[in-house]
Amino acid sequence: MIIFGTRGYLYQLAVMTMVCGWCGNPSAHTLRKRVTKFTLFFVPLFPFSTKFATQCTFCGGEQQIPKEQAEQLMAQHVASQGGNPFGQSQQQPGPVPGAQGQGQNPYQH
């Protein structure tokens, strides 16, 4: 008996602000990559389908986009983040400005 099938993987590549084609609002959109892989005995062997899409976080509308457009959006996102694909600052965390003393939470009274 041979057990085979497929399994889907969803990767979130970026979050960027764009004007939604569905609702017309300028809102955050997630750029996602959906990969479907062939499995044999529940072990993923090779991908046979890769699709890209953007989804509006305001209305939930999703739009399929070609691979070339997804790569262009990723390049724009990386460039807008200063070369850091994850959008996190390169600085080390430090004390919160305006906090009364080291290690205190400024929101507690």
Side-chain angles (χ1 to χ4, degrees):
M1 175 192 259
I2 297 176
I3 300 173
F4 65 93
T6 62
R7 179 166 181 185
Y9 297 88
L10 186 62
Y11 302 99
Q12 182 170 314
L13 303 177
V15 178
M16 58 195 79
T17 302
M18 299 187 302
V19 176
C20 180
W22 296 98
C23 65
N25 288 316
S27 62
H29 284 67
T30 57
L31 176 61
R32 295 180 177 174
K33 176 180 175 181
R34 182 181 308 270
V35 179
T36 305
K37 293 185 179 184
F38 177 78
T39 61
L40 184 63
F41 294 107
F42 306 104
V43 176
L45 295 179
F46 57 89
F48 70 88
S49 173
T50 302
K51 296 179 182 179
F52 295 89
T54 59
Q55 184 176 20
C56 176
T57 59
F58 186 79
C59 71
E62 188 170 325
Q63 181 179 359
Q64 297 279 337
I65 59 173
K67 180 181 179 181
E68 295 80 22
Q69 187 177 359
E71 290 173 350
Q72 182 182 16
L73 287 172
M74 270 302 293
Q76 289 175 356
H77 176 70
V78 169
S80 71
Q81 299 299 322
N84 187 358
F86 302 108
Q88 299 168 348
S89 72
Q90 300 291 334
Q91 297 176 341
Q92 295 295 324
V96 177
Q100 281 72 26
Q102 194 75 358
Q104 292 182 352
N105 187 347
Y107 301 106
Q108 287 181 342
H109 293 284

